[in-house]
């Protein structure tokens, strides 16, 4: 068995092995600086990258013989994917002889990193991009704005980062804890830093899709510019994460807010922000959020109610649809395709298909509007909570939930599977504040995610995947990556109920601590 993750579309093992020289070289039809980090470029090398336009964009063919290795691809991305396969096959200084023909099942194989709740910074994001390339993932959905911090420089609105990127405290201890750490948390990316990260990702075949969250999850913007809210009250950048619980509402820290959809200046702000975002990011997709928008302020706001009356809207749901339609039209003029969370599909007046808008399906409960959307021709990204919310403890969603994912279980008819762009894992960072936990939540979940994106459900085998993951563990140990041990990843340990309770009520880091104990016991 070839210990490759994700497993190739076709693979055949042969006898013998290719021996890696001490001064191993390669030659290529492409400029491959990432390969040069391992092997030197040489016209006489016996590892050869060959351009073949007939191969799909992310596909490759790989033949390993005792005397040479030939890699065929139509571009750099396929060449790099073949090289990741080679790196996984290396055993000492040997690579087993084999033939591989490979290409992904889904075109969108992504992860979402939330930097509003906790800011990780440029070097950590680059490391995440390196991890993504190794697992042949190709989309970084970058959640840059939310209630808890605005992380992207917008030159027209400097207060978004001067004020909106800083909070004075942070909620700790779990969703139903009332503890807070009275320590400032801040950070943002300049546009120059973002360009640097985009270039880093592009070399690795990774598209970066920014998310700028409107009309809810915008409190950090309202803290900077109070006129964006319905009632123009002074607002702090909040540090609590659990505003939707009744007991938190009683604290009255004014977290249940949305942008006012009855003011022209709010639309001017949104379009101006998106104008800079569109100019900065090369991606044809822009994520505009749209989830969890409460209606309470819109119901009380005379300006919002006037928009409802004058445009013959049924209610506040259609008011949000009216707003989204304007954003969609703006993005279409910019040559961009909008993405929104599946709640936006509930507005009957939403004109999403006209501009090719993509719905991202995340909710724990089935959403008939989202399912009707994809089954009637709309495009969709699948991020269903039970399988792809990687911020959740393994005790709640074990690794098998991800690996055994089948779109049919979430209402996507087989004949409409072509409307699905792909799959995406979510790393919301309320309870991920450091590299150590980020890595444990990430590995081996992103390996399972990658294989879901690479192979259809009927071609996947959990037992086989586990064996291949077991064979790769020494490589992760050598790299010092804090992956989840099996007792944690498969959530079969006796601490499961305790972990779930503590995650909500006291210690969201309990799995990390247990993982450390398991590692210590095995030394």
């Amino acid at each position: 068995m070839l210990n490759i993750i994700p497993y190739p579309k076709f693979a055949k093992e042969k006898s013998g092995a290719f021996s890696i020289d001490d001064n191993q070289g390669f030659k290529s039809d492409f400029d491959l600086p990432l390969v040069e980090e391992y092997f030197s470029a040489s016209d006489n090398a016996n590892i050869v990258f060959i351009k073949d336009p007939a191969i799909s964009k992310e596909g490759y063919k790989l033949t390993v013989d005792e005397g040479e290795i030939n890699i065929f691809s139509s571009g750099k991305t396929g060449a790099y994917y073949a090289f990741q396969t080679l790196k996984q096959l290396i055993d000492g200084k040997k690579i087993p002889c084999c033939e591989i023909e490979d290409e992904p099942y889904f075109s969108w194989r992504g992860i979402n990193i939330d930097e509003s709740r906790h800011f990780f910074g440029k070097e950590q994001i680059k490391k995440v991009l390196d991890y993504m390339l190794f697992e042949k993932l190709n989309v970084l959905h970058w959640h840059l704005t939310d209630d808890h911090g605005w992380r992207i420089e917008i030159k027209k609105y400097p207060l978004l980062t001067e004020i909106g990127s800083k909070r004075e405290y942070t909620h700790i201890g779990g969703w139903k804890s009332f503890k807070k750490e009275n320590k400032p948390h801040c950070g943002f990316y300049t546009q120059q830093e973002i360009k640097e990260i985009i270039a880093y990702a592009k070399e690795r075949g990774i598209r970066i899709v920014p998310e700028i969250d409107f009309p809810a999850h915008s409190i950090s913007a309202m803290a900077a510019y109070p006129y964006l809210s319905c009632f123009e009250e002074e607002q702090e950048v909040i540090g609590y994460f659990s505003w939707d619980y009744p007991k938190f509402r009683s604290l009255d820290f004014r977290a249940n807010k949305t942008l006012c959809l009855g003011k022209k200046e709010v639309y001017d702000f949104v379009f101006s922000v998106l104008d800079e975002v569109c100019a900065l990011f090369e991606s044809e997709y822009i994520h505009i959020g749209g989830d969890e928008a409460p209606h309470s302020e819109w119901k009380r706001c005379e300006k919002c109610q006037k928009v409802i009356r004058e445009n013959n809207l049924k209610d506040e749901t259609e008011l949000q649809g009216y707003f989204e339609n304007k954003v969609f039209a703006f993005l279409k003029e910019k040559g961009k395709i909008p993405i929104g969370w599946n709640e936006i599909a509930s507005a009957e007046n939403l004109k999403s298909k006209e501009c090719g808008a993509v719905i991202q399906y995340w909710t724990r409960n089935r959403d008939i509007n989202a399912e009707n959307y994809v089954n009637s021709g709309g495009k969709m990204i699948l991020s269903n909570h039970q399988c792809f919310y990687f911020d959740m403890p393994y005790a709640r969603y074990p690794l098998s939930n991800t690996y055994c994912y089948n779109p049919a279980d979430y209402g996507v008819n087989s004949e409409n599977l072509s409307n699905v762009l792909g799959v995406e894992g979510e790393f919301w960072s309320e309870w991920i504040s450091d590299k150590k936990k980020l890595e444990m939540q990430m590995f081996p979940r992103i390996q399972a995610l990658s294989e879901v994106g690479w192979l259809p459900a009927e071609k996947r085998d959990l037992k086989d995947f586990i064996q291949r993951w077991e064979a790769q563990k020494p490589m992760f140990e050598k790299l010092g990556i804090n992956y989840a041990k099996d007792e944690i990843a498969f959530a079969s340990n006796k601490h499961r109920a305790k972990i779930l309770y503590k995650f909500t009520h006291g210690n969201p880091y309990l799995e990390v601590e247990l993982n450390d104990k398991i590692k210590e016991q095995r030394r």
Side-chain angles (χ1 to χ4, degrees):
M1 178 177 62
L2 297 173
N3 294 313
I4 305 167
I5 298 175
Y7 203 72
K9 184 177 179 180
F10 168 82
K12 178 183 177 182
E13 296 180 72
K14 300 188 296 187
S15 61
F18 176 91
S19 296
I20 301 172
D21 295 337
D22 289 338
N23 299 307
Q24 182 64 55
F26 78 99
K27 61 181 177 180
S28 175
D29 291 340
F30 312 101
D31 177 28
L32 301 175
L34 301 183
V35 178
E36 291 187 45
E37 294 177 7
Y38 293 84
F39 304 138
S40 57
S42 169
D43 290 338
N44 299 314
N46 55 356
I47 297 179
V48 186
F49 292 83
I50 303 163
K51 184 172 184 177
D52 183 348
I55 296 175
S56 63
K57 179 183 175 181
E58 294 185 300
Y60 64 91
K61 293 181 182 179
L62 168 65
T63 60
V64 180
D65 295 312
E66 291 184 356
E68 64 180 357
I69 295 175
N70 289 306
I71 296 165
F72 302 85
S73 67
S74 60
K76 288 177 65 169
T77 299
Y80 277 149
Y81 285 174
F83 187 59
Q84 303 314 308
T85 296
L86 273 185
K87 287 199 293 182
Q88 291 187 25
L89 288 173
I90 292 173
D91 183 5
K93 289 198 171 185
K94 300 283 187 180
I95 300 175
C97 292
C98 60
E99 294 180 9
I100 293 173
E101 293 186 19
D102 206 6
E103 64 180 356
Y105 182 59
F106 284 127
S107 64
W108 186 291
R109 305 175 309 283
I111 62 172
N112 170 20
I113 300 291
D114 165 23
E115 288 210 76
S116 176
R117 277 69 176 226
H118 283 98
F119 181 74
F120 295 110
K122 181 173 66 174
E123 295 309 313
Q124 182 60 48
I125 290 301
K126 286 183 175 180
K127 190 170 288 292
V128 167
L129 291 166
D130 290 339
Y131 295 156
M132 291 177 65
L133 173 59
F134 190 71
E135 305 301 340
K136 304 185 178 85
L137 301 176
N138 67 352
V139 179
L140 176 63
H141 169 181
W142 205 3
H143 189 78
L144 290 166
T145 74
D146 213 299
D147 297 325
H148 310 90
W150 187 282
R151 308 298 180 200
I152 176 173
E153 177 190 26
I154 301 296
K155 294 184 183 296
K156 187 173 180 178
Y157 298 101
L159 296 184
L160 287 172
T161 47
E162 289 179 24
I163 294 175
S165 70
K166 304 169 185 176
R167 63 174 185 259
E168 295 304 314
Y169 64 95
T170 297
H171 186 182
I172 58 174
W175 294 110
K176 294 189 179 181
S177 160
F178 292 86
K179 298 177 182 177
K180 64 178 181 177
E181 181 181 46
N182 289 310
K183 179 181 176 182
H185 186 85
C186 61
F188 69 92
Y189 294 100
T190 66
Q191 292 195 7
Q192 185 57 43
E193 287 174 321
I194 288 174
K195 289 177 183 177
E196 179 185 334
I197 293 168
I198 291 171
Y200 192 90
K202 187 176 181 180
E203 178 61 35
R204 288 152 180 78
I206 298 170
R207 170 198 295 139
I208 297 186
V209 176
E211 181 178 354
I212 310 298
D213 224 332
F214 300 130
H217 294 289
S218 300
I219 287 174
S220 58
M222 287 183 269
Y225 297 98
Y227 73 84
L228 297 173
S229 64
C230 286
F231 302 104
E232 302 195 18
E233 302 160 318
E234 290 297 316
Q235 172 70 58
E236 66 177 349
V237 179
I238 60 171
Y240 277 112
F241 303 135
S242 299
W243 60 265
D244 54 335
Y245 284 101
K247 197 169 182 181
F248 277 95
R249 291 193 201 113
S250 69
L251 296 175
D252 191 30
F253 55 87
R254 306 184 189 282
N256 195 19
K257 280 189 171 183
T258 51
L259 297 177
C260 180
L261 301 189
K263 297 178 183 176
K264 178 182 180 299
E265 53 266 42
V266 170
Y267 292 84
D268 291 342
F269 169 83
V270 170
F271 297 151
S272 294
V273 168
L274 290 176
D275 194 34
E276 291 193 33
V277 170
C278 289
L280 185 58
F281 286 87
E282 298 179 8
S283 168
E284 69 269 42
Y285 295 97
I286 302 292
H287 206 304
I288 49 85
D291 64 317
E292 299 178 323
H295 294 173
S296 55
E297 293 208 333
W298 295 340
K299 287 179 182 293
R300 296 189 296 117
C301 176
E302 292 181 6
K303 294 181 176 65
C304 289
Q305 291 301 310
K306 183 180 179 183
V307 171
I308 291 175
R309 290 192 302 271
E310 290 181 349
N311 291 276
N312 297 314
L313 305 177
K314 290 181 181 178
D315 52 22
E316 288 73 23
T317 298
E318 289 204 352
L319 175 63
Q320 183 172 347
Y322 169 87
F323 168 79
E324 306 291 3
N325 286 339
K326 287 185 174 295
V327 173
F328 288 174
F330 176 85
L331 291 174
K332 186 177 182 180
E333 287 183 4
K334 295 287 181 180
K336 301 292 187 179
I337 300 170
I339 305 173
W341 299 105
N342 58 271
E343 287 98 322
I344 69 173
S346 60
E348 293 181 10
N349 62 328
L350 193 72
K351 297 177 181 178
S352 50
K353 290 179 183 174
E354 290 87 337
C355 60
V358 178
I359 297 296
Q360 188 161 4
Y361 193 2
W362 76 273
T363 44
R364 285 180 288 268
N365 298 322
R366 294 279 294 271
D367 183 342
I368 191 64
N369 294 312
E371 292 170 13
N372 287 341
Y373 187 79
V374 69
N375 289 322
S376 62
K379 299 299 182 183
M380 178 173 280
I381 299 162
L382 296 167
S383 296
N384 303 95
H385 200 285
Q386 297 89 332
C387 304
F388 298 126
Y389 262 50
F390 294 165
D391 57 307
M392 292 290 114
Y394 289 93
R396 183 173 183 185
Y397 297 144
L399 186 66
S400 54
N401 276 35
T402 302
Y403 190 82
C404 298
Y405 180 79
N406 189 335
D409 296 335
Y410 296 88
V412 181
N413 298 333
S414 58
E415 59 268 27
N416 295 308
L417 198 56
S418 60
N419 296 327
V420 174
L421 298 183
V423 291
E424 182 181 292
E426 311 302 313
F427 291 92
W428 302 109
S429 66
E430 289 95 339
W431 314 115
I432 303 176
S433 62
D434 56 39
K435 171 180 177 286
K436 186 177 184 180
K437 187 171 187 187
L438 180 62
E439 287 184 349
M440 199 196 80
Q441 299 299 116
M442 190 170 282
F443 297 103
R445 275 172 163 158
I446 66 169
Q447 283 97 330
L449 170 73
S450 178
E451 199 142 305
V452 171
W454 215 259
L455 297 172
E458 63 272 16
K459 293 290 183 83
R460 285 181 253 130
D461 184 308
L462 180 59
K463 184 177 179 181
D464 183 69
F465 171 80
I466 292 170
Q467 289 178 318
R468 284 180 279 123
W469 165 232
E470 188 67 31
Q472 288 195 3
K473 286 178 183 176
M475 176 172 55
F476 283 80
E477 296 278 2
K478 185 176 180 180
L479 292 170
I481 293 173
N482 186 45
Y483 65 86
K485 297 296 184 180
D486 288 353
E487 295 91 328
I488 301 297
F490 292 97
S492 58
N493 62 70
K494 63 183 178 180
H495 302 292
R496 185 171 184 177
K498 180 181 179 181
I499 291 168
L500 290 173
Y501 183 84
K502 286 290 186 180
F503 180 75
T504 301
H505 293 84
N507 182 8
Y509 272 67
L510 183 55
E511 276 190 334
V512 178
E513 295 168 6
L514 292 171
N515 204 55
D516 285 346
K517 287 182 180 178
I518 293 167
K519 288 192 291 184
E520 188 63 33
Q521 289 167 0
R522 291 179 182 170
R523 284 179 182 165

